[in-house]
Amino acid sequence: MGFRAAVAGASGYAGGELLRILLGHPEIEVGALTAGGNAGTPLAQHQPHLIPLADRVLAETTPETLAGHDVVFLALPHGQSAAVAASLPDSTLVIDCGADFRLEDPADWERWYAGEHAGTWPYGLPELPGQRAQLRAARRIAVPGCYPTVSSLALLPAVAAGLVETQDIVIVAASGTSGAGKSPKPQLLGSEVMGAVSAYSVGGVHRHTPEIEQNLRRVTSDAVTVSFTPTLAPMPRGILATCTARVQAGVDTAAVRRAYADAWAGEAFLHLLPDGTWPSTAATAGANTVVAQVAVDERAGRMVAVAAMDNLAKGTAGGAVQCMNLALGLPETTGLTTIGLAP
């Protein structure tokens, strides 16, 4: 195997998904596994599905433990990545799955996350126009949030082609409970989640809003305003995002479909579904894919783009490995599957 990778935060959902993918990667040897409060406990206690690593004991997240690796993945709570990354040499490829380095504007960080902005790293969404060149030269990469990944990809072709107005974009997205992390929370108890769908962070206060707007601004000179409402669905993983925007005069469903087909031509992980077929989260479980369908509601004058994605795979760990492949000079698809699990 060519490269050795460490995972900091290996006991969490993102860390577990990273390890699941890395175990099947032909060019990666899994090195150090670290944690915070779970340090000193066996990985099998937290990730029983990772049988090849069952005998590993989680170490503390220290510079000494992470030293000597070609790649270090940081699957840590927001605000903790900067100090760890600063202790690693510039030659180490560091991929942060948290929010610390995603936002370009320090004022956005201070408003949405509070505290001092740690800086901005190359943004780990290869499908953004021009982004692959940056990622191939990067030693530091900020993986997008899960909601921004699916929402941005669902909207970018229409925005880039000038088919929609950019100051009236509405996104309502349903996510599985793993998106909230592994820490116990009353609202995530089985008795609260089963048989129920609930909204949260309503009224334009979700932290992923500025990240979505930042991505869309990359492909348009127009001002961008997004109204984003997340909902919690009774499933462990997956996101279904319904994105709408007012269409420009004369734009119909056929024009929108052409724009998406052209934009996604040659993209291994982005799939425009056949006409009349609509996305399901089940089709993306475990896969590094985004599947989408588009239509124009002519009566309301709005484009509707619906996209499904696994929040832990393409939305976090799979996207991180995709970026790693680019930065290490490997084929972008190495170790990643487009095959989902259904039913």
Side-chain angles (χ1 to χ4, degrees):
M1 293 186 182
F3 304 95
R4 193 161 180 260
V7 176
S11 61
Y13 287 135
E17 187 74 354
L18 275 166
L19 292 171
R20 183 184 72 84
I21 295 171
L22 293 175
L23 282 168
H25 196 292
E27 300 294 335
I28 295 296
E29 174 191 354
V30 176
L33 309 180
T34 78
N38 291 321
T41 62
L43 181 70
Q45 179 178 324
H46 310 282
Q47 312 286 9
H49 61 300
L50 301 177
I51 292 175
L53 301 173
D55 60 346
R56 296 285 197 95
V57 175
L58 295 168
E60 292 187 11
T61 304
T62 65
E64 294 74 22
T65 302
L66 298 177
H69 292 82
D70 300 293
V71 186
V72 174
F73 292 95
L74 304 179
L76 304 173
H78 300 322
Q80 295 187 16
S81 296
V84 177
S87 71
L88 298 172
D90 292 342
S91 58
T92 301
L93 174 58
V94 182
I95 301 179
D96 183 23
C97 295
D100 293 28
F101 299 98
R102 295 171 184 162
L103 296 179
E104 298 172 351
D105 187 345
D108 281 341
W109 175 268
E110 293 167 7
R111 174 184 175 185
W112 297 88
Y113 290 90
E116 186 176 352
H117 185 228
T120 305
W121 289 357
Y123 191 72
L125 190 60
E127 294 87 358
L128 273 175
Q131 202 65 13
R132 286 186 171 94
Q134 290 193 34
L135 295 173
R136 288 189 180 102
R139 292 291 93 183
R140 299 289 190 269
I141 295 174
V143 177
C146 53
Y147 282 127
T149 295
V150 68
S151 301
S152 301
L153 292 173
L155 287 161
L156 278 167
V159 173
L163 302 181
V164 296
E165 297 178 10
T166 58
Q167 296 189 57
D168 184 18
I169 295 174
V170 177
I171 302 168
V172 179
S175 174
T177 56
S178 61
K182 218 171 188 180
S183 299
K185 303 176 181 71
Q187 69 270 28
L188 299 180
L189 291 171
S191 56
E192 301 291 334
V193 173
M194 288 187 296
V197 177
S198 59
Y200 64 99
S201 296
V202 179
V205 298
H206 195 280
R207 289 171 166 179
H208 285 170
T209 302
E211 192 178 338
I212 299 169
E213 292 180 343
Q214 175 178 285
N215 291 342
L216 298 179
R217 283 198 298 268
R218 292 174 183 238
V219 298
T220 180
S221 59
D222 296 334
V224 176
T225 302
V226 169
S227 175
F228 171 51
T229 302
T231 64
L232 188 66
M235 57 187 184
R237 59 165 77 202
I239 295 178
L240 186 73
T242 301
C243 312
T244 76
R246 188 169 299 281
V247 293
Q248 303 288 3
V251 172
D252 59 10
T253 296
V256 174
R257 282 191 62 84
R258 283 195 300 271
Y260 279 72
D262 291 344
W264 289 5
E267 289 290 350
F269 301 119
L270 308 184
H271 302 280
L272 180 64
L273 295 174
D275 193 17
T277 303
W278 290 90
S280 166
T281 56
T284 65
N288 198 58
T289 54
V290 174
V291 298
Q293 184 58 276
V294 294
V296 170
D297 180 343
E298 294 184 359
R299 186 187 64 82
R302 299 187 72 84
M303 181 202 74
V304 181
V306 180
M309 179 193 75
D310 186 327
N311 60 296
L312 293 178
K314 176 59 173 165
T316 306
V321 172
Q322 188 180 343
C323 293
M324 178 199 74
N325 287 338
L326 287 167
L328 294 179
L330 301 172
E332 188 174 337
T333 59
T334 306
L336 296 167
T337 183
T338 59
I339 302 170
L341 300 172

